[in-house]
Amino acid sequence: MATCVVEEATVKLMGVQHGDKVMARPFLDVCRGVLPILESVGTGMSLVKKDVRGNIERLEGRVAEKPLAYEDLLDVVRDEIRRGVQESNSGCTKGLLWLCRAMQFVVGFMSCLVEDPNLTMYEAVSSSYQTLLAPYHSWITGSVFSLALKVVPNRDTFFAQLGTGTQTETMVRDYCNRMSPLLQHIMKFMDEEGVNFLDKV
């Protein structure tokens, strides 16, 4: 169940960031835990789910090539910058960028839900999408998302799918509070390195 994933991910987050370092394998493991959460949002999120899984696998493949050299996931980006390949659409720099954007989207709508009990699922997901993903999506991709938003479940159904315990919303809030600063740290690094690309897909 996704509730277990949220609980486990919150615990795992404690071992992800060491100072300025982002430990590659633990971080990607935490990101993989988002997949069942996206399933709970409905079939309309298949595009995000596919993107998240693909970028995780891309990054895992690169880290596996040099596990010691790439223990810090940010060193993968530094290496691509050094080799001048950071703008490649099939590279890991853009893979990490899009993975973080997707993670911010998920954290964004879940934060909205737990902070405002009157907010509908549609309102939370739509607001998070417009803020965090829409600026980087073409008209075609945006149209796909507009259709996806029409089939999101209501908030009660979403939380029921996450778990039946009374602590579900508390666990989600804790997860978001821990995940958000980590994602901000990575995006700050991407900004400083000039690789927070604004091109649309």
Side-chain angles (χ1 to χ4, degrees):
M1 290 295 293
T3 296
C4 296
V5 172
V6 172
E7 278 188 285
E8 292 171 5
T10 302
V11 174
K12 290 177 180 178
L13 275 168
M14 298 177 186
V16 170
Q17 188 173 352
H18 292 177
D20 288 335
K21 292 183 177 181
V22 176
M23 309 311 291
R25 292 178 186 272
F27 175 73
L28 295 174
D29 190 28
V30 169
C31 290
R32 192 175 288 280
V34 161
L35 297 176
I37 296 174
L38 287 170
E39 285 184 4
S40 297
V41 183
T43 56
M45 289 296 109
S46 59
L47 181 64
V48 180
K49 184 180 174 183
K50 180 180 178 181
D51 190 54
V52 168
R53 179 183 285 113
N55 286 321
I56 290 172
E57 292 174 352
R58 183 190 308 185
L59 289 159
E60 284 178 335
R62 181 65 59 81
V63 171
E65 293 174 6
K66 300 179 181 178
L68 294 180
Y70 295 148
E71 183 180 44
D72 177 2
L73 190 59
L74 303 184
D75 281 337
V76 173
V77 177
R78 294 186 182 101
D79 186 45
E80 289 196 341
I81 292 173
R82 180 182 59 80
R83 293 187 287 117
V85 296
Q86 70 273 22
E87 294 189 43
S88 171
N89 288 330
S90 60
C92 286
T93 298
K94 286 193 174 181
L96 179 58
L97 178 62
W98 278 104
L99 178 59
C100 285
R101 285 173 178 169
M103 294 296 294
Q104 285 182 315
F105 162 69
V106 173
V107 170
F109 78 72
M110 291 202 302
S111 295
C112 288
L113 287 172
V114 296
E115 294 303 325
D116 186 349
N118 297 315
L119 206 64
T120 67
M121 187 71 178
Y122 173 84
E123 290 170 336
V125 176
S126 179
S127 175
S128 186
Y129 173 72
Q130 291 299 326
T131 301
L132 297 165
L133 290 180
Y136 314 106
H137 280 174
S138 66
W139 180 85
I140 294 176
T141 307
S143 297
V144 172
F145 261 85
S146 293
L147 293 174
L149 290 173
K150 295 181 184 299
V151 295
V152 296
N154 62 47
R155 61 178 294 141
D156 290 339
T157 300
F158 173 69
F159 279 115
Q161 289 174 334
L162 289 185
T164 57
T166 57
Q167 297 300 311
T168 300
E169 291 195 29
T170 299
M171 288 187 293
V172 170
R173 180 181 288 105
D174 191 24
Y175 170 78
C176 292
N177 287 342
R178 291 176 184 273
M179 192 66 177
S180 184
L182 173 61
L183 296 172
Q184 289 173 7
H185 170 70
I186 297 174
M187 294 305 294
K188 181 174 181 288
F189 165 80
M190 303 296 264
D191 276 325
E192 291 174 345
E193 296 296 328
V195 293
N196 187 4
F197 302 113
L198 303 179
D199 44 318
K200 297 186 177 186
V201 298

